[in-house]
Amino acid sequence: MKMEAVSKESESDWGDLTRELLINILSRLSVEDRWRGTKVVCKSWFSAFKEPSLHSVFDLDPLFDSPLESTRWWTPGFEAKIDSMLLSVVEWTQSSLTQIRIRHCSDRSLALVSQRCPNIEVLSIRSCPRVTDDSISRIALSCKKLRELDISYCYEITHESMMLIGKNCPDLKVLKRNFMNWLDPSQHQGIVPNEYLNACPQDGDDEAVAIANSMHGLEHLEIRFSKLSAKGLNSISQGCPNLEFLDLSGCANLTSRDIVNASSSFVHLKEIKKPNFYIPRSVFHTERYGHWSLYDERFQTDIFRI
């Protein structure tokens, strides 16, 4: 009986903590721990959980980083959960949100981001099959403080909204526009829907020209497995003179000569990752490439448990 009394008294003490102290405690927890436990403790904890300062950075990326990804992440139901989380955070932050790093969201939640989050500086939305030009165009027109954008593996985004981003976000320094390994899609098969694997954008040069014509201040550019050609790379070399880092891994349409010719224009370039394989022209259009195991950064996700 005494132990039960102590337990009840302890619970009462936790619920009676001041808001300031609760916020201090919650700020020390991981995103996962905050979302799993604090909302169900009591009203005062849930109220503290919604404190805008706790959500100025909304980063779910660590929860996806593992050698294995889940088929569940590519379902509409999981996407709806991610959207719900992001919508809640946007509602609570009252324009204080500056960084968003998530995956598998949709236009539904990003539309509200464009309305409520004008101070966003970092937007990372990898692997979002239902993010389209509609929401990215709204982001471009409303979130003009963007300095880092990751739209890797988002195949419904085109060069048109990328052009808008470049023109309306003059502080943009980092762009990550990577694609899945279309040379050897076996690592994604059975997890990523086949129709999505087969939908890799073909307009690599159009995207390169959009980048070159609108993102003159870029310092970091990743376009792994892009289908751009020497024409597109030359456009980037002329339009993005401040590039310090360039990742061309898996860009199978480029030759060593193409890269050497373009590199002379990158006067500030400190590091370039080149395609790390050789494709004989005679076999370039064959169906399968059994030997493509040489690229060094795989698309990584893990078992999401929130």
Side-chain angles (χ1 to χ4, degrees):
M1 294 293 293
K2 291 183 179 180
M3 290 297 294
E4 291 179 6
V6 171
S7 177
K8 291 180 179 179
E9 183 179 350
S10 298
E11 291 175 7
S12 177
D13 289 344
W14 279 103
D16 291 338
L17 292 175
T18 65
R19 178 180 175 84
E20 291 73 17
L21 189 54
L22 281 175
I23 292 172
N24 184 281
I25 293 171
L26 296 180
S27 68
R28 302 169 189 272
L29 300 179
S30 66
V31 171
E32 185 176 8
D33 287 337
R34 286 183 209 163
W35 280 85
R36 277 185 171 183
T38 57
K39 295 188 296 182
V40 298
V41 175
C42 60
K43 290 182 178 179
S44 61
W45 278 67
F46 185 45
S47 175
F49 171 73
K50 294 191 291 182
E51 164 63 29
S53 64
L54 292 175
H55 304 284
S56 61
V57 175
F58 187 53
D59 184 2
L60 296 185
D61 258 2
L63 301 175
F64 288 98
D65 286 329
S66 90
L68 299 175
E69 57 181 316
S70 170
T71 56
R72 184 167 63 95
W73 298 343
W74 295 87
T75 63
F78 183 76
E79 182 183 90
K81 290 181 180 179
I82 297 295
D83 276 341
S84 179
M85 291 177 70
L86 182 54
L87 288 168
S88 296
V89 169
V90 171
E91 290 282 359
W92 300 333
T93 53
Q94 304 173 12
S95 301
S96 65
L97 195 59
T98 60
Q99 296 186 33
I100 297 175
R101 298 182 187 274
I102 56 175
R103 305 183 196 181
H104 299 285
C105 67
S106 75
D107 279 348
R108 175 171 167 256
S109 55
L110 288 183
L112 189 63
V113 170
S114 68
Q115 296 174 19
R116 303 285 186 86
C117 305
N119 296 314
I120 285 290
E121 298 178 4
V122 177
L123 180 63
S124 177
I125 49 170
R126 297 168 57 185
S127 306
C128 297
R130 277 168 285 276
V131 168
T132 71
D133 283 341
D134 181 65
S135 62
I136 297 302
S137 297
R138 296 186 187 192
I139 293 288
L141 297 175
S142 304
C143 306
K144 299 185 178 182
K145 295 182 180 181
L146 268 183
R147 54 181 175 80
E148 179 177 335
L149 177 66
D150 188 347
I151 49 174
S152 299
Y153 322 119
C154 297
Y155 290 174
E156 293 300 317
I157 297 173
T158 72
H159 66 280
E160 295 179 358
S161 57
M162 291 171 63
M163 178 75 79
L164 280 177
I165 287 285
K167 288 183 175 180
N168 290 279
C169 305
D171 296 330
L172 192 68
K173 303 297 181 185
V174 177
L175 176 65
K176 300 178 182 180
R177 176 57 166 168
N178 301 307
F179 300 102
M180 293 180 189
N181 184 355
W182 53 272
L183 294 171
D184 180 15
S186 61
Q187 69 190 74
H188 310 296
Q189 287 176 339
I191 299 172
V192 181
N194 285 333
E195 62 271 19
Y196 196 68
L197 279 177
N198 297 329
C200 181
Q202 308 293 313
D203 56 349
D205 283 342
D206 289 338
E207 292 195 359
V209 170
I211 292 169
N213 288 344
S214 65
M215 303 180 184
H216 306 301
L218 275 187
E219 297 176 357
H220 180 114
L221 176 61
E222 297 179 15
I223 47 175
R224 292 194 296 272
F225 289 98
S226 169
K227 296 187 177 182
L228 85 167
S229 68
K231 175 184 176 182
L233 182 59
N234 286 331
S235 296
I236 291 174
S237 70
Q238 298 298 319
C240 304
N242 297 319
L243 273 182
E244 298 179 359
F245 177 89
L246 176 61
D247 192 346
L248 299 172
S249 302
C251 295
N253 292 335
L254 297 176
T255 66
S256 296
R257 180 177 297 179
D258 296 334
I259 295 172
V260 169
N261 290 340
S263 296
S264 60
S265 298
F266 292 123
V267 295
H268 297 293
L269 198 63
K270 298 177 181 178
E271 182 178 358
I272 181 171
K273 291 190 175 182
K274 303 176 183 179
N276 47 0
F277 43 71
Y278 169 67
I279 303 177
R281 292 298 171 185
S282 61
V283 300
F284 184 79
H285 293 291
T286 56
E287 280 188 17
R288 292 299 304 268
Y289 297 84
H291 59 290
W292 301 121
S293 59
L294 298 178
Y295 88 91
D296 55 6
E297 183 173 341
R298 304 187 65 177
F299 176 65
Q300 295 186 351
T301 46
D302 78 334
I303 299 177
F304 199 107
R305 296 186 179 276
I306 286 182

